[in-house]
Each structure stands twice: as structure tokens, then as C-alpha cells.
Amino acid sequence: MKVIRRHPRREIHIEGPMTVRALLEHLDIVPETVLVIRDSDLLTRDQRLEADDTVELRPVISGG
Amino acid sequence: MRCRVCRGSAAIEVKRHNAAFCGQHFIDHVRRQVGRTIHDHAMFGPDERLAVGVSGGKDSLALWDILHHLGYRAEGIYLDLGIGAYSQDSLSRVEAFAEERDLILHSVSLLQHYGFSIPDAAKATRRTPCSACGLSKRYVLNEEATRRGFDVLVMGHNLDDEAATLFSNVLNWNMEYLGRQRPVLPASDGLAKKVKPLIRVAERETAAYAVLAGIDYEVEECPLVGGNTVNRLKEWMAMLEHDSPGVTQHFLGGFFGRASHAFAVDIPDLHPCSKCERPTTGERCAFCRLQERAVT
């Protein structure tokens, strides 16, 4: 699957399918720090991602 | 995962409430949380004229949207910090947001009105840009809110912002700042009443609200934010929250409910700044001193 990350914006490819929880664990991302978005929809950690999905991991920590 | 209200497919889980919500019921949940905060802290009434400090980011635009939907008369104040394309892009998003909802926006340019930008200030003072930015926002938003006759200045600080600030103030035992950290700061001569209605809404929740409510906010981070210590504290607190859901709200809510009175400080004697006449403890206020150094 294609995974879009930000700050800076970049794309990475991960072998799928897997759940959102497994993807975040694989990338060592604390779930509280991102939204997981597919086709403008927010995904919860139990949802399954397919090999041909494009998923955005949008950071939520900002400002200061 | 199912929505707690309608049992439809959930869009977001809120672990500290042991709940998940579909898009519409999450939007309802957040608006209810904000409405409850406004009521519990007697922040403002339905007839008061509100100024919302807006940056183009998720928190301030979500807050403005929520206030609009709760029926309040809220106008936006945007401060253009002069941070190149980032400030231009942020302003475009704020303008589009206001236009789509037929809301009134007041825009102020730091460079045009005060003669310097945040990069100028950071260079001149050799301090972090965030320090000059915070000072400038506090000064200009207060200036605009009081000059334009608003009853209340409403800020989009969320639960994680406030908890990280509290954490920082405790780590440094900054007694003066601890004494001033409140959901409501009353008005005084030359200072607008300031309130923070998002203190029950976590940062991830304001972001989710913005996405679900169709708000096109500035996703990119400020290019000058590198090394911001509050953001680092927020990352650490996110790890704590992951292991112990609710710990952030418990920390902040406990401070406001049971501890903040112990840090209450007498309001220092304020008198007019010799240059701008806004209240200050010194001869010249911190903003005028910053401006003197930054304007070349």
C-alpha cells in the first residue's frame, strides 16, 4: 500500500494487507499522534488496509 | 468498531471516554463538550460579541466552526506573521473558511502594521521564533479585540496544549505562570477577557473534528517550529496517554479543579507602556521592546 507521511511530505510503500493498528506498530507511531485517512474517511485501529490502498498518516501535534 | 450512539461504523475512537463515534455523532460529541465547558466556566453568554484568534490551523478553525454552530456571534482575527508562503497559505484558508460560512474576518499584518515579521524578530533577538510569535500573537490579538470593542477574546488552545504548558510550568516551577494558567482570564484595564473553550478536547479530536466537518485547515507545520519544546512535551504526553488513557485530562482537570488556587498570584501593578500605552509592569512593554529590536 501507499502511505503518505508529512512534515516533510513523502510517500512510502508497505506490503499489505494489514490492520491500521499493525501499520502504526510497524512504523513505530504512537496512535495518539496521527489521524489515519483513506479516501477522506477516518479509520479506527481495527480497520483493514488492502494492498492497493492509499493511506495518509496525518500528524496532529502542532503549534506551540 | 461501532458508534456508541447509533451502532454504525465508527470513524474515531476516544479511548479516555471508552467510546467510539461515527462522524456525525463525533461532531455532536465535540460540540457538546465545548458547550459544557463554556457553561461550566461561565465563559460568555449568548449575546456577547466574541473575537476568535484564528491561525488557519485545525484548532482555531474547529473552534470558530463550533461557536458558529452553537449560535454564538463570533468574528475571526487573523495575524499575518510574515512567514513567507506558510503565512500566505494560512490566510487563504482562513479567508475561504469565513467566506463559505458568511463569517466576518479581520486580518492584521505584523509587517504592515508594526514594521517587522517573525523571521525579522527571531534574527534580531537571537531567540526562538516561537517566543517572538507567542508574544506578538498575545499583544496584537488583545489590541484588536479591545480596540474593536469585543466582549471576549476566544483562543483555540486544546487539552494537550494546556496540559503541555502546565507540564512545562511544573518542570520549571514557574510559579507566576502557574498562577496565571486558567480557562478564563478576566478583563482588566486594557486587557480583554480571554477564554479557552477547547480545554476538554484533545488535539487529535480537534483534528478529527476538522476533517469530519469538512474544514480545509493548514496541515503543514510552521517552517520555523523546529526545536519547539512544547511540541516535544506533547509527544511525550501522547506516549503517556497511549499507556494510560485519560491521564492528560486528569492532570489538567485536577490542576484547574484542585490545585490552581494554590498558585494564585496578586495581579501586579500595571501601568501604561510609555510607547503604546497598553498595560505593562515595566516602563516599556515586552512587545514594544521586541519591535524596537526587530524593526531595521
Side-chain angles (χ1 to χ4, degrees), chain B residues 12 27 41 83 90 111 118 161-162 168 170 174 188 192 194-195 205 229 240 242 252 257 286:
Chain B
I12 181 165
I27 286 173
H41 293 280
I83 308 176
S90 299
L111 188 60
I118 293 302
D161 291 328
E162 286 296 298
S168 173
V170 168
N174 195 325
S188 59
K194 199 151 98 173
V195 303
E205 293 158 22
T229 51
L240 288 175
H242 180 63
L252 184 68

Side-chain angles (χ1 to χ4, degrees), chain B residues 71-102:
Chain B
Y72 291 103
R73 290 192 302 154
E75 298 176 21
I77 301 177
Y78 174 81
L79 174 60
D80 184 336
L81 301 161
I83 308 176
Y86 175 75
S87 289
Q88 290 299 313
D89 194 45
S90 299
L91 175 58
S92 301
R93 288 173 202 276
V94 175
E95 286 176 335
F97 176 95
E99 197 177 322
E100 282 166 18
R101 291 159 181 79
D102 201 18

Side-chain angles (χ1 to χ4, degrees), chain B residues 34 38 44-54 60-77 94 97-99 101-106 150-155 195 197:
Chain B
V34 173
I38 293 165
F44 42 79
D47 299 326
E48 292 191 275
R49 194 165 158 247
L50 314 178
V52 187
V54 286
S60 56
L61 290 185
L63 174 60
W64 199 5
D65 185 81
I66 293 164
L67 293 173
H68 174 56
H69 281 279
L70 291 176
Y72 291 103
R73 290 192 302 154
E75 298 176 21
I77 301 177
V94 175
F97 176 95
E99 197 177 322
R101 291 159 181 79
D102 201 18
L103 296 170
I104 298 171
L105 173 68
H106 309 277
F150 286 98
D151 296 307
V152 185
L153 175 58
V154 191
M155 301 298 293
V195 303

Side-chain angles (χ1 to χ4, degrees), chain A residues 6-7 9 30-37 40 42-47 56 58-64, chain B residues 1 10-13 15 58 203-204 207-208 211-212 217 219-221 225 228 231 234-235 238-239 241-242:
Chain A
R6 291 187 179 260
H7 309 168
R9 188 188 164 96
V30 179
E32 280 68 20
T33 63
V34 291
L35 293 178
V36 183
I37 303 172
S40 305
L42 297 185
L43 302 180
T44 51
R45 62 198 160 107
D46 58 326
Q47 284 183 284
E56 178 189 352
R58 184 179 293 187
V60 299
I61 292 177
S62 66
Chain B
M1 218 171 275
I12 181 165
E13 182 183 20
K15 283 174 88 175
K58 63 191 189 313
E203 185 142 46
R204 186 166 182 270
V211 170
L212 292 166
Y217 68 91
V219 175
E220 294 308 318
E221 184 60 289
V225 80
N228 180 296
N231 280 6
K234 284 202 267 190
E235 286 166 5
M239 286 189 260
E241 182 69 24
H242 180 63

Side-chain angles (χ1 to χ4, degrees), chain B residues 27-286:
Chain B
I27 286 173
D28 295 344
H29 165 77
V30 172
R31 288 177 186 164
R32 212 166 36 242
Q33 291 285 318
V34 173
R36 209 176 110 199
T37 305
I38 293 165
H39 174 267
D40 289 354
H41 293 280
M43 290 183 167
F44 42 79
D47 299 326
E48 292 191 275
R49 194 165 158 247
L50 314 178
V52 187
V54 286
S55 65
K58 63 191 189 313
D59 302 304
S60 56
L61 290 185
L63 174 60
W64 199 5
D65 185 81
I66 293 164
L67 293 173
H68 174 56
H69 281 279
L70 291 176
Y72 291 103
R73 290 192 302 154
E75 298 176 21
I77 301 177
Y78 174 81
L79 174 60
D80 184 336
L81 301 161
I83 308 176
Y86 175 75
S87 289
Q88 290 299 313
D89 194 45
S90 299
L91 175 58
S92 301
R93 288 173 202 276
V94 175
E95 286 176 335
F97 176 95
E99 197 177 322
E100 282 166 18
R101 291 159 181 79
D102 201 18
L103 296 170
I104 298 171
L105 173 68
H106 309 277
S107 178
V108 185
S109 162
L110 197 57
L111 188 60
Q112 284 176 18
H113 287 76
Y114 297 96
F116 71 98
S117 67
I118 293 302
D120 293 336
K123 199 172 162 187
T125 59
R126 295 184 185 176
R127 293 176 63 184
T128 64
C130 298
S131 162
C133 181
L135 171 60
S136 301
K137 279 181 182 170
R138 284 191 296 277
Y139 180 90
V140 177
L141 292 177
N142 179 71
E143 171 71 21
E144 292 299 313
T146 51
R147 187 174 69 80
R148 294 176 185 275
F150 286 98
D151 296 307
V152 185
L153 175 58
V154 191
M155 301 298 293
H157 298 98
N158 61 47
L159 168 61
D160 296 273
D161 291 328
E162 286 296 298
T165 300
L166 174 59
F167 192 17
S168 173
N169 289 336
V170 168
L171 286 175
N172 295 294
W173 288 118
N174 195 325
M175 306 299 274
E176 189 190 339
Y177 289 176
L178 283 166
R180 284 207 305 254
Q181 191 173 356
R182 305 276 178 87
V184 177
L185 289 171
S188 59
D189 193 21
L191 292 173
K193 179 179 179 181
K194 199 151 98 173
V195 303
K196 300 168 184 174
L198 291 184
I199 54 169
R200 278 201 186 102
V201 187
E203 185 142 46
R204 186 166 182 270
E205 293 158 22
T206 62
Y209 179 94
V211 170
L212 292 166
I215 298 170
D216 182 22
Y217 68 91
E218 179 60 80
V219 175
E220 294 308 318
E221 184 60 289
C222 171
L224 305 181
V225 80
N228 180 296
T229 51
V230 172
N231 280 6
R232 285 217 321 271
L233 290 175
K234 284 202 267 190
E235 286 166 5
W236 292 340
M237 294 192 75
M239 286 189 260
L240 288 175
E241 182 69 24
H242 180 63
D243 290 338
S244 304
V247 68
T248 311
Q249 187 159 16
H250 196 65
F251 178 54
L252 184 68
F255 175 71
F256 287 148
R258 298 200 297 274
S260 63
H261 68 276
F263 298 94
V265 289
D266 292 332
I267 297 170
D269 286 336
L270 298 175
H271 49 264
C273 166
S274 61
K275 186 178 173 202
C276 72
E277 299 188 346
R278 284 288 164 194
T280 181
T281 51
E283 191 261 330
R284 281 205 174 184
C285 74

